[in-house]
Amino acid sequence: MKKINPLIPLDYPDPDVIRVGEVYYMITTTMHFMPGGEILRSLDLLHWEHAAFVYDRIDSTPAQQLTETANIYGKGMWAATLRYHQGMFYVIFVANDTKKTYLYRSKQIAGPWKKSIIAGFYHDCSLLFDKERIFLVYGNREIWLTELDEKLTGPKKGGLHRLLVSDQDNPNLGYEGAHLYKIDGYYYAFFIHSLKERWFRTQACFVADSLTGTFSGGDVLVDDRNYCQQGVAQGGIVATPDGKWYAILFQDHGAVGRLPILVPVQFENHFPVFGAAGKIPKSFPTPTAKHSTSLQPLIGSDSFDHIYATPYGFAPQWQFNHEPNAAGYTLDNKKQRYLIKPQKITENLTQSQNTLTQRMTFPTCQAQVTLNAEGLQEGDFAGLAVLQGAYGWIGVTKDQGKYYLVMKSRELTEFSLQGLPLDEHAGKEQARIRLFSPLVTLQVRANFSQMKDVTSFFYQTDGTFKQLGIEHPVAFKMDHFCGCRLGLFCYSTQQIGGFAAFSQFQYENTGEEQEVIDGKNN
């Protein structure tokens, strides 16, 4: 029965969750990472595995492809809505770089997904099918309801369009992250916002007996789970087959990102009660565990010896930093390696194409990879990174025909939520030593416990790992607007034509094990 939150110790923000038959599906924000629109699957709301990616690319703009100095950090796909109606799955989201609203639909969760555009831009939108009518609720500070035409191409001519609620006078975050449901004849609109007197994420709900009626309500969850004054809010609600309700919301955990939190929900007099008296209990009755013993992992090691049925052939825990350049990488499963062949000149890790990433794990984790740098050209850099605005990495460069092991970091000099300018010059070199072989095993260790948010970098020598450079602090900021990622990278600063080969990637969650779930409702 007991489940230690966070539900998933990884960066899966802005969750939306549905149930189709006996299976639960969840989609979260994937921003600039490709393939994107990752959907997870569960049989019990407790154990989750990868189910599908909705798209392999969005519009292939120069920014989405990291062409020259363009990028979509902090933009891309935000806060999707996932719905199932009359045998069809629907995913709707806006991309904050293109300012478009995208609709994907498929008869199967695995796809193929058909893409179209809905006229208009609907921030953090939620989709509602209500008999023969279709609605979107969306907005920031002002929450609007707009009726769509039957083909989902845009607003319905003469259809309902109205303001539901307003939070304009909130000096912090006003209402956004909308989720709209019809339950037992009542309409429920859920939002995230902040307390007005201080920054604290808070879940709110407003209810009406019709879409033309007055929505009334207020805050339904003001709780930080005794974790660093970080509130829990924004997400979807779902009912089990036996009629019990749960919410999956997110909570900030510092640099590792925003992690899903499971919350029991009850309805009293047609109004939702989250947790116990508005607080999230440490343990509570949960659905009976039905998970398979062979769940597809959300993170993990990889020997690069297999081509998967994913958009780019990699194990589903991998995503590219932006849309990849097909000429610039090879998944060589026969030689069990991942090759990056830079196709542009840059001096900054964040503009490096074909960086292959995985989410980092709360509270602590470590990863290592073997790098063969023999193919580097003068001025090339390749290695293992902690990817964020204030990034850090350990890697190899070739300088005047010699190999050097380097640790670089982009100093955390900006302490506001806004973060660092993304067009700033490359990070600062913290350490450099001579390498007498281009083959080296690199390691990263991270501690996110209680928002300590520090990373350190190692290389293997004489069978042990030795630290290189500094202990580097990282932080969640709006410049990237996502949690830290591990990244395999290679970029050229002088000329293209070189390459780096990565093999034997090993990932370890070094934190405390989550409490075993017995699935009993007692």
Side-chain angles (χ1 to χ4, degrees):
M1 177 187 73
K2 296 180 180 178
K3 174 67 181 181
I4 297 176
N5 273 315
L7 179 62
I8 304 173
L10 304 168
D11 184 40
Y12 282 100
D14 311 324
D16 196 15
V17 59
I18 63 172
R19 179 177 56 84
V20 180
E22 298 291 322
V23 184
Y24 302 92
Y25 297 103
M26 177 166 60
I27 193 168
T28 64
T29 294
T30 50
M31 306 198 75
H32 46 275
F33 296 103
M34 307 284 179
E38 185 179 15
I39 296 175
L40 306 185
R41 172 178 49 227
S42 174
L43 297 177
D44 55 18
L45 277 180
L46 306 173
H47 304 87
W48 293 87
E49 67 175 343
H50 173 84
F53 290 109
V54 174
Y55 57 87
D56 62 346
R57 63 199 69 212
I58 302 179
D59 286 338
S60 297
T61 65
Q64 291 170 4
Q65 295 178 322
L66 281 179
T67 300
E68 297 180 352
T69 61
N71 62 68
I72 59 167
Y73 288 112
K75 298 178 182 177
M77 176 271 224
W78 278 16
T81 181
L82 173 62
R83 294 291 181 263
Y84 182 76
H85 180 66
Q86 296 183 351
M88 186 75 71
F89 289 96
Y90 295 85
V91 169
I92 296 180
F93 63 87
V94 297
N96 286 276
D97 52 308
T98 63
K99 301 300 181 184
K100 295 179 182 179
T101 301
Y102 298 85
L103 167 66
Y104 288 80
R105 66 186 96 191
S106 173
K107 292 183 178 180
Q108 305 292 332
I109 203 72
W113 290 84
K114 182 180 179 181
K115 171 186 170 184
S116 61
I117 302 296
I118 299 176
F121 183 81
Y122 308 94
H123 177 76
D124 284 7
C125 55
S126 178
L127 180 65
L128 174 68
F129 292 95
D130 188 10
K131 297 181 180 179
E132 301 301 320
R133 303 173 73 183
I134 311 168
F135 300 91
L136 279 182
V137 60
Y138 57 93
N140 169 248
R141 295 188 179 273
E142 288 188 343
I143 303 297
W144 290 84
L145 179 76
T146 294
E147 187 171 1
L148 299 179
D149 62 39
E150 62 180 11
K151 294 185 178 180
L152 294 168
T153 61
K156 180 179 179 179
K157 186 176 181 180
L160 183 62
H161 175 70
R162 59 165 297 203
L163 178 69
L164 293 188
V165 296
S166 176
D167 199 18
Q168 284 284 12
D169 60 343
N170 194 320
N172 296 306
L173 178 69
Y175 293 137
E176 63 174 23
H179 290 258
L180 182 63
Y181 303 91
K182 185 179 183 181
I183 302 171
D184 294 334
Y186 286 80
Y187 295 88
Y188 295 83
F190 294 93
F191 315 117
I192 186 177
H193 73 151
S194 172
L195 296 178
K196 294 180 179 180
E197 62 272 19
R198 60 188 172 95
W199 171 256
F200 194 93
R201 293 193 191 273
T202 301
Q203 182 74 12
C205 179
F206 287 77
V207 184
D209 58 9
S210 74
L211 290 179
T212 57
T214 298
F215 278 77
S216 60
D219 294 342
V220 291
L221 183 65
V222 185
D223 186 29
D224 69 350
R225 300 176 48 250
N226 295 318
Y227 190 78
C228 303
Q229 289 295 301
Q230 302 299 309
V232 177
Q234 189 168 342
I237 65 170
V238 67
T240 64
D242 59 356
K244 294 182 174 63
W245 286 88
Y246 294 87
I248 298 181
L249 312 176
F250 78 76
Q251 183 178 34
D252 293 273
H253 280 67
V256 74
R258 295 170 287 173
L259 314 187
I261 303 296
L262 184 67
V263 185
V265 178
Q266 299 182 57
F267 286 85
E268 297 180 1
N269 298 319
H270 301 292
F271 196 77
V273 177
F274 279 61
K279 303 293 182 182
I280 303 170
K282 290 184 178 181
S283 63
F284 47 86
T286 57
T288 301
K290 299 179 180 179
H291 67 289
S292 166
T293 57
S294 58
L295 293 173
Q296 289 196 51
L298 301 178
I299 47 90
S301 303
D302 197 347
S303 57
F304 300 112
D305 63 348
H306 186 75
I307 304 296
Y308 290 81
T310 58
Y312 296 110
F314 290 87
Q317 58 260 37
W318 293 107
Q319 289 173 287
F320 286 101
N321 183 27
H322 279 56
E323 181 183 325
N325 183 330
Y329 76 91
T330 301
L331 174 55
D332 188 348
N333 65 305
K334 293 183 178 180
K335 293 185 178 180
Q336 299 183 21
R337 60 183 186 170
Y338 169 56
L339 273 68
I340 305 179
K341 301 167 284 186
Q343 302 295 300
K344 60 181 272 192
I345 303 299
T346 185
E347 294 190 2
N348 200 331
L349 168 69
T350 56
Q351 288 300 127
S352 176
Q353 294 176 323
N354 298 325
T355 297
L356 196 62
T357 77
Q358 285 199 41
R359 294 170 176 86
M360 300 184 77
T361 307
F362 172 85
T364 60
C365 63
Q366 68 182 41
Q368 65 189 55
V369 69
T370 298
L371 167 64
N372 188 336
E374 186 177 10
L376 295 186
Q377 296 200 132
E378 285 288 314
D380 288 356
F381 292 89
L384 176 62
V386 173
L387 181 63
Q388 212 167 43
Y391 58 75
W393 59 258
I394 184 170
V396 177
T397 188
K398 192 173 185 180
D399 188 355
Q400 297 183 7
K402 299 176 182 179
Y403 297 104
Y404 292 90
L405 190 66
V406 176
M407 185 261 160
K408 272 192 175 185
S409 63
R410 195 175 184 195
E411 293 179 285
L412 190 60
T413 56
E414 170 58 60
F415 295 97
S416 72
L417 183 61
Q418 297 303 314
L420 301 164
L422 289 171
D423 57 353
E424 193 172 299
H425 200 267
K428 178 181 179 181
E429 187 172 302
Q430 304 290 355
R432 174 183 287 230
I433 60 173
R434 177 77 186 277
L435 274 183
F436 295 94
S437 168
L439 190 67
V440 62
T441 298
L442 310 172
Q443 187 184 77
V444 167
R445 301 175 190 174
N447 187 344
F448 303 111
S449 179
Q450 296 295 311
M451 298 175 66
K452 185 176 181 181
D453 293 349
V454 292
T455 58
S456 47
F457 303 84
F458 300 80
Y459 65 100
Q460 193 172 48
T461 178
D462 298 325
T464 62
F465 282 96
K466 183 176 181 180
Q467 187 171 354
L468 183 69
I470 64 171
E471 184 178 73
H472 174 60
V474 285
F476 181 93
K477 294 185 178 297
M478 291 184 69
D479 50 11
H480 279 213
F481 216 173
C482 59
C484 283
R485 293 267 184 138
L486 296 163
L488 308 180
F489 72 90
C490 179
Y491 63 90
S492 298
T493 65
Q494 297 179 21
Q495 57 184 331
I496 63 173
F499 67 91
F502 298 88
S503 61
Q504 301 174 45
F505 178 82
Q506 298 180 36
Y507 192 125
E508 183 179 358
N509 177 6
T510 56
E512 296 180 359
E513 291 290 331
Q514 290 195 336
E515 191 169 351
V516 174
I517 304 163
D518 60 24
K520 296 178 182 178
N521 294 308
N522 55 23

